[in-house]
Amino acid sequence: IVNLIKSTKWDVVFVTRDTHDNDYLRTKEGEKLPIEHCIKNTNGWEINSRVQEALNECEVVRYINKDTFGYDSWEHAFGEFDFEICDDLNIVMCGFCTDICVISNALAIKTLFPYHGEVSIIEECCAGVSTESHNAALTVMKNCQINII
């Protein structure tokens, strides 16, 4: 991911952080995924230091704290851009977990922009809960016309 960030001049980089409160285990998600993770303002919530260092070199970085698998306000996040006149929109995505957060956000973005440009996933910059679920998520995204590169 560090090499990907450094290898291209990105117009905008959106960074999502899974963000939970101390009561995570008492939430609906926590009941079904009972592993405390990404508790706000803890080490596990912070962006990896090497990734953050690479992001510091980017011109425009927007951080999004999301409290569930998929971010539900992508339209707001992209709101300042006029996508109606942009036929060559190219959204490139990567991250963890392919089979939970990546797929949720990729499908949300693809749904938001079905006719304007492309949504692509960098396979080598993703990882899932297991190899099987990672591969299954890639297959589903490919079937939904998301490019796997």
Side-chain angles (χ1 to χ4, degrees), residues 8 14 46 49 56 64 79 82 89 98 102 104:
T8 303
F14 289 95
E46 297 290 340
S49 61
N56 290 341
I64 295 171
D82 186 358
L89 174 65
T98 317
V102 175
S104 297

Side-chain angles (χ1 to χ4, degrees), residues 11-124:
D11 293 328
V12 180
V13 176
F14 289 95
V15 179
T16 62
R17 274 190 289 228
D18 208 12
T19 302
H20 302 295
D21 292 322
N22 291 325
D23 68 344
Y24 171 76
L25 293 177
R26 292 187 297 276
T27 66
K28 283 294 182 191
E29 180 183 321
E31 289 175 14
K32 294 183 180 188
L33 181 64
I35 301 168
E36 282 190 331
H37 65 283
C38 300
I39 305 300
K40 189 173 184 176
N41 296 321
T42 66
N43 186 43
W45 175 76
E46 297 290 340
I47 303 299
N48 172 281
S49 61
R50 292 185 314 140
V51 172
Q52 185 58 59
E53 189 176 301
L55 290 168
N56 290 341
E57 303 298 318
C58 296
E59 193 169 320
V60 180
V61 180
R62 305 263 167 69
Y63 294 89
I64 295 171
N65 295 334
K66 59 183 193 56
D67 61 359
T68 188
F69 303 137
Y71 182 57
D72 63 359
S73 296
W74 281 114
E75 188 169 13
H76 174 72
F78 287 118
E80 69 188 70
F81 306 102
D82 186 358
F83 293 110
E84 293 301 317
I85 62 170
C86 183
D87 290 330
D88 62 348
L89 174 65
N90 189 19
I91 296 172
V92 178
M93 300 177 68
C94 64
F96 310 106
C97 292
T98 317
D99 44 342
I100 300 174
C101 296
V102 175
I103 191 172
S104 297
N105 287 292
L107 290 170
I109 291 170
K110 183 66 176 177
T111 299
L112 187 59
F113 303 115
Y115 308 116
H116 301 288
E118 299 289 337
V119 177
S120 301
I121 303 296
I122 307 293
E123 181 177 2
E124 69 181 14

